[in-house]
């Protein structure tokens, strides 16, 4: 009878210890798998994906349309109701997986992951003026809803102001 508790203690202790290090082959295998998925069309190639369209996650919304002089126009809306929210729009420029955003004096670089846009967790203090209450644009993360420019152009603030006004024809 005493052997059963002793065996249980040995089994528990055998599970303790350091975890084996991941081999570099695992990272290489994952990269190869992702490349194969991109080649076959299972996942979008983030280097070729277009930013234009509507993006959302929960109550956070982003619109992106073609802007003037080859730039994009990006609008962001965070609406938690009861005077808690943010609204901003301005020019944006993509460079690979980075998107330089300028909401007036609020300037930062967001990440573009092909199917998601992620704002940095820390933004300049000048971005605070774009929000009311305790809301913030920091760490805003949205996923693609649509690639439609017409849909992106409809995003409005609670006051009715369009955030992604299309570029005027020349």
């Amino acid at each position: 009878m005493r052997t059963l508790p002793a065996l249980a203690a040995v089994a528990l202790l055998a599970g303790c210890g350091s975890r084996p290090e991941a081999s570099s082959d695992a990272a290489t295998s994952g990269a190869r798998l992702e490349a194969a998925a991109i080649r076959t069309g299972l996942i979008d190639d983030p280097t070729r994906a277009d930013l234009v369209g509507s993006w959302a996650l929960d109550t956070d919304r982003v619109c992106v349309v073609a802007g003037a002089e080859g730039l994009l126009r990006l609008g962001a809306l965070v609406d938690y109701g009861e005077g808690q929210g943010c609204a901003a729009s301005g020019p944006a420029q993509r460079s690979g997986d980075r998107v330089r955003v300028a909401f007036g004096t609020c300037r930062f670089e967001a990440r573009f992951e092909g199917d998601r846009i992620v704002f940095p967790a820390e933004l300049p203090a000048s971005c605070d003026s774009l929000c009311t209450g305790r809301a913030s644009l920091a760490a805003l993360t949205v996923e693609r809803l649509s690639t439609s420019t017409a849909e992106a152009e409809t995003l409005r603030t609670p006051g009715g102001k369009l955030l992604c006004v299309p570029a005027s024809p020349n």
Side-chain angles (χ1 to χ4, degrees), residues 51-67:
L51 273 172
V52 171
S54 295
W55 303 77
L57 187 63
D58 297 325
T59 60
D60 300 339
R61 304 274 183 265
V62 168
C63 58
V64 183
V65 298

Side-chain angles (χ1 to χ4, degrees), residues 57-62 75-81 83-88 103 119 123 130-132 134-142 155-158 163:
L57 187 63
D58 297 325
T59 60
D60 300 339
R61 304 274 183 265
V62 168
L77 178 68
V78 175
D79 186 6
Y80 301 131
Q84 308 287 324
C86 305
F103 296 146
F119 286 15
L123 292 173
L130 302 170
C131 300
T132 58
R134 298 174 74 186
S136 172
L137 290 169
L140 177 127
T141 301
V142 289
L155 184 63
R156 296 175 184 269
T157 67
L163 290 175

